[in-house]
Amino acid sequence: MAPHGVLLAATEDLSVFGTDPWWLVVVKALFCFVFLLVTVLFSIVWERKVVAWMQLRIGPNRHGPWGMLQSLADGVKLALKEDLVVTASDKVVYILAPVICAVPAFMAIAVIPFGPADHEVSIFGTRTTMQLTDFPVAMIYVLAVASIGIYGIVLAGWASGSTYPLLGGLRSAAQMVSYEIAMGLSFAAVFLDAGTMSTSGIVAAQQHTWFACLLPVSFIVYIVSMVGETNRAPFDLPEAEGELVGGFNTEYSSLKFAMFMLAEYINMVTVSAVAATMFLGGWRAPWPVSSFWEGANHGWWPLLWIVLKIQLLLFFFIWLRGTLPRLRYDQFMKLGWKVLIPVSLVWLVMVATVRALRNKGVDYTNVILIVLGAILAVVLVSIVVDMVRSRNRPAEPAEPPFDPLAGGFPVPPLPGQQLPPTPRRASRIPEPVNAGQTVTAAALKGGDDDA
């Protein structure tokens, strides 16, 4: 019997793509564009409503029914603001940076499947697939497009001719390098298990079990990486207003600022669609629905399932913003380089080993036992190493008792810290003179000196 991945790669047929008439390609591209814009408009209002609900506030409720047109009002407001161009900036790069940031955000949606890779639906009488295009290395295309958008942020920080935007752009570059590696490693595990890099083939490989269940470590690593990739809280370090005023977009206003904001939300939609495609079955209906309804994965219904999955992942973004505080930058980089990347490498080696054993015909039960044994071995080794380190670690000196009234104002001092007395000059107001006493010349002289 041929291995699962080899059989899938051999039977993968992408000839259905590229056969649509030109007008249908334009219709599909227009649908992708409108889908992203409408989802962004909805996500902005939804985010403000959900965060307000978490903070026991009302949220937007003025524009439109229940405040649903607030994002349109914000767009009009941004468009009517004064468009500033910094004098010390590189004007060509300064203007092109928002475009470079926004355009790649629209491109990745082209390979996301919204339905089966066959001619199940009819658009204006023409049978077609619910996907703009697909090719054997579609996910490599997604990674390449995602890495281009960071250039707009870096160039925006550099071209602004200001210190804080430059620091924000440099932070974005370091952030992209850190989390793009972990994201690529999580993709590699999916490629090994699915036997293909095309998005439609990856969804087809999840017919029985989603990869979020088969590859849970890759799913968790990608979820963390996609939050860092999109500069969203708690990983929004390039825009940390407490440190960098506003980050890379500090010197931008009006439509150029709106394009940065649009790119951020479109990237949120794109990475959510990629997560749904790679790990959550794509356009396939969830298990309880697909078990009793055969038509759930046919016709136009797959569009509903993938939209629901995207919205759930967008809610996850909003939930993180309303729940977690921002990390320090050293904590953020440590998470990427010392946790996500090593864990992804070890997990990828384990997935490749299991894949090789399956290709050689090893019983699946034995594979599970081997994987569990390896995990237990790693856990035991880590426990032993921690015990040895704690035993050899020198004892820390006992901290002195904390005195909350040690005299620090307005911030209490550190534990055991005694602040020096504040130097004070003599009072300008002379001491009151009692009745019947005369003011001496020395007192008058001291008062004159103080004055």
Side-chain angles (χ1 to χ4, degrees):
M1 179 181 294
H4 172 69
V6 176
L7 181 61
L8 179 62
T11 58
E12 182 181 359
D13 184 14
L14 301 179
S15 60
V16 295
F17 300 99
T19 60
D20 295 329
W22 66 269
W23 61 267
L24 188 54
V25 174
V26 173
V27 170
K28 288 185 178 181
L30 185 61
F31 166 79
C32 293
F33 181 77
V34 173
F35 172 77
L36 288 176
L37 289 182
V38 172
T39 307
V40 166
L41 293 177
F42 173 76
S43 300
I44 294 174
V45 179
W46 194 24
E47 178 175 13
R48 297 179 66 174
K49 283 284 190 180
V50 172
V51 173
W53 171 68
M54 290 181 174
Q55 299 173 350
L56 300 180
R57 296 185 291 107
I58 298 176
N61 63 346
R62 296 293 182 184
H63 300 286
W66 304 288
M68 294 301 293
L69 299 181
Q70 180 65 48
S71 55
L72 288 177
D74 293 340
V76 174
K77 173 187 174 183
L78 284 174
L80 296 179
K81 279 184 172 290
E82 183 180 2
D83 190 8
L84 301 177
V85 177
V86 182
T87 304
S89 65
D90 187 322
K91 293 180 175 53
V92 176
V93 182
Y94 179 83
I95 295 173
L96 287 180
V99 180
I100 297 174
C101 192
V103 170
F106 286 93
M107 297 173 61
I109 201 71
V111 296
I112 299 299
F114 290 92
D118 52 19
H119 298 80
E120 279 205 3
V121 297
S122 176
I123 299 179
F124 300 116
T126 302
R127 309 292 295 185
T128 184
T129 59
M130 297 176 65
Q131 185 175 354
L132 181 56
T133 186
D134 194 10
F135 38 92
V137 290
M139 291 312 303
I140 303 298
Y141 162 79
V142 172
L143 285 174
V145 168
S147 62
I148 292 175
I150 197 67
Y151 286 100
I153 296 178
V154 175
L155 292 175
W158 173 80
S160 296
S162 181
T163 303
Y164 290 126
L166 178 61
L167 292 176
L170 293 177
R171 281 189 174 188
S172 294
Q175 188 166 321
M176 185 272 296
V177 172
S178 303
Y179 285 80
E180 195 82 16
I181 297 174
M183 181 182 294
L185 292 174
S186 64
F187 283 177
V190 175
F191 299 156
L192 287 173
D193 202 282
T196 180
M197 295 184 185
S198 71
T199 52
S200 58
I202 291 173
V203 175
Q206 302 177 69
Q207 180 177 0
H208 302 290
T209 307
W210 292 356
F211 283 149
C213 300
L214 294 177
L215 305 171
V217 176
S218 297
F219 178 61
I220 295 174
V221 169
Y222 177 78
I223 290 295
V224 177
S225 299
M226 77 177 187
V227 179
E229 187 78 9
T230 54
N231 298 333
R232 290 283 301 182
F235 300 152
D236 54 340
L237 278 305
E239 305 172 1
E241 67 275 1
E243 309 159 23
L244 305 179
V245 183
F248 59 91
N249 54 18
T250 301
E251 306 292 347
Y252 283 87
S253 65
S254 191
L255 287 178
K256 293 193 289 294
F257 178 84
M259 292 185 70
F260 281 120
M261 185 177 179
L262 180 67
E264 176 182 329
Y265 278 90
I266 290 178
N267 282 326
M268 289 171 54
V269 179
T270 300
V271 297
S272 299
V274 171
T277 301
M278 297 283 288
F279 298 100
L280 300 180
W283 45 264
R284 295 187 178 277
W287 169 74
V289 178
S290 60
S291 60
F292 63 84
W293 182 16
E294 294 183 358
N297 293 325
H298 300 283
W300 292 96
W301 290 109
L303 181 62
L304 173 64
W305 309 129
I306 191 170
V307 169
L308 289 178
K309 294 173 184 178
I310 292 173
Q311 294 299 330
L312 288 176
L313 290 170
L314 291 176
F315 174 79
F316 175 74
F317 276 104
I318 301 171
W319 175 61
L320 287 181
R321 178 177 179 179
T323 305
L324 298 180
R326 181 183 291 121
L327 273 69
R328 291 200 320 263
Y329 195 71
D330 60 324
Q331 295 173 335
F332 177 64
M333 299 304 291
K334 180 179 179 181
L335 175 64
W337 286 101
K338 294 186 177 182
V339 178
L340 294 184
I341 294 177
V343 168
S344 299
L345 285 172
V346 174
W347 175 253
L348 183 60
V349 171
M350 294 176 60
V351 172
T353 303
V354 171
R355 183 69 180 174
L357 293 176
R358 287 175 57 188
N359 291 342
K360 291 185 178 181
V362 179
D363 184 51
Y364 197 74
T365 305
N366 296 334
V367 172
I368 295 178
L369 294 177
I370 293 173
V371 173
L372 291 178
I375 295 175
L376 291 177
V378 172
V379 172
L380 290 176
V381 170
S382 64
I383 292 175
V384 172
V385 171
D386 289 339
M387 291 175 60
V388 173
R389 286 182 177 178
S390 61
R391 183 175 301 175
N392 297 333
R393 186 179 305 164
E396 297 180 357
E399 294 184 356
F402 175 65
D403 183 10
L405 302 178
F409 181 82
V411 180
L414 295 176
Q417 180 184 9
Q418 297 293 335
L419 299 181
T422 304
R424 297 184 182 275
R425 64 180 180 178
S427 176
R428 296 181 178 181
I429 303 175
E431 296 182 0
V433 180
N434 296 331
Q437 293 182 355
T438 60
V439 180
T440 64
L444 291 175
K445 182 179 180 181
D448 293 339
D449 290 340
D450 288 341

